[in-house]
Amino acid sequence: MEEPSGISPGDSDDRGVRSSLAGICALLLEQVPVAAASVVVMTAAGHRGTAYASSDWAAKIEEVGFLLGEGPCDDAFRNGGPVLVSDLGRPFHSSYRRWPAYTAVLVGLGVRAVCAFPLQFGAVAVGTLALYALEPTQLSDRQLSSVLGLADSAALSLLDAVTGGDPGDGLARPLDGSMYRSEVYQATGMISEQLHIPVADAMSRLRGHAYASNRPLADIARDVVTRRLRLQDDNGEATQGGRCHGHD
């Protein structure tokens, strides 16, 4: 069995949250016919990080969602409701129109069904719970009810971790420094300033470069932060103060 991926060992609170999420995901794998489960922390500002993944395969799937900036988790978080895709690989399925790149990559990874549930407490949204199956899968009413109950437990675990148990505080702190991928967001800020574009557009540029070069987003971000790479403007030219280049 693969070693689960998740929060890097930090203080006791973070380890406690990881243990709680591990237990919730284990129950999900017992109660519903899926192969993997994960919990993703998200914010309205666009920050995203995997809090817990039941396997390396699940962690890789979440990395795809982060890289491409699309998929069921994004829609579930944005709209505040479950997103259930019973057969991702079915020809002409709506998922190909909604998330074309995401769907193609996940089908290539062997994913056939995806269920994403928003994790929220009142008006405070903290992330999503995602389930992945190797075969076309449609949850029964009983299974759906079970998942919703466990999603509430996951939401409370995350909320307690990031706000100290007070929903009025909002997202007071990340569970772990790596969870919000600080290097990625640092690189996004640098691109935004260099190209004089909104942060959202800068993130799209960063993701696009990573996707086109077939390299992990974190590696591209590290190159930007260390000034080994400078992205181009819309005219294909490096902005003043540097030239666009790759690795030395």
Side-chain angles (χ1 to χ4, degrees):
M1 183 174 180
E2 291 178 293
E3 184 68 22
S5 302
I7 302 168
S8 302
D11 58 33
S12 59
D13 288 341
D14 289 356
R15 288 194 297 270
V17 174
R18 187 180 190 281
S19 178
S20 175
L21 296 178
I24 290 170
C25 287
L27 284 173
L28 286 165
L29 296 182
E30 290 178 4
Q31 297 180 14
V32 295
V34 297
S38 60
V39 176
V40 179
V41 176
M42 305 175 77
T43 73
H47 293 180
R48 175 176 180 159
T50 303
Y52 184 82
S54 63
S55 67
D56 290 339
W57 182 64
K60 186 175 183 178
I61 294 170
E62 295 308 339
E63 190 67 25
V64 171
F66 180 73
L67 170 61
L68 298 177
E70 65 181 33
C73 284
D74 295 81
D75 284 11
F77 181 80
R78 187 182 306 113
N79 300 327
V83 177
L84 310 177
V85 184
S86 60
D87 190 354
L88 197 66
R90 194 176 69 209
F92 310 111
H93 192 276
S94 62
S95 60
Y96 282 95
R97 296 192 299 273
R98 295 164 66 185
W99 324 297
Y102 176 90
T103 300
V105 175
L106 258 66
V107 169
L109 290 173
V111 180
R112 286 299 299 269
V114 182
C115 301
F117 302 85
L119 301 181
Q120 57 190 52
F121 186 88
V124 180
V126 290
T128 57
L129 167 69
L131 304 175
Y132 302 99
L134 296 171
E135 301 291 340
T137 302
Q138 186 166 355
L139 300 183
S140 67
D141 290 343
R142 182 175 181 179
Q143 290 168 340
L144 185 58
S145 177
S146 178
V147 173
L148 290 173
L150 289 169
D152 286 344
S153 297
L156 289 174
S157 293
L158 286 182
L159 187 68
D160 185 61
V162 299
T163 69
D166 183 359
D169 288 343
L171 291 175
R173 72 174 187 92
L175 296 177
D176 177 83
S178 65
M179 285 190 60
Y180 286 107
R181 307 168 191 263
S182 59
E183 205 162 43
V184 172
Y185 295 109
Q186 183 180 353
T188 301
M190 291 175 64
I191 295 169
S192 174
E193 183 176 350
Q194 291 165 0
L195 302 185
H196 308 292
I197 58 177
V199 171
D201 291 346
M203 175 62 82
S204 295
R205 294 285 185 95
L206 190 67
R207 283 173 166 150
H209 190 88
Y211 187 71
S213 59
N214 195 30
R215 295 179 59 209
L217 185 62
D219 289 356
I220 299 298
R222 189 171 302 113
D223 283 353
V224 171
V225 171
T226 58
R227 304 185 188 282
R228 291 169 59 86
L229 173 69
R230 190 178 184 111
L231 300 190
Q232 297 174 327
D233 62 18
D234 290 330
N235 296 319
E237 299 178 353
T239 54
Q240 184 177 1
R243 298 183 62 183
C244 181
H245 57 87
H247 289 287
D248 296 334

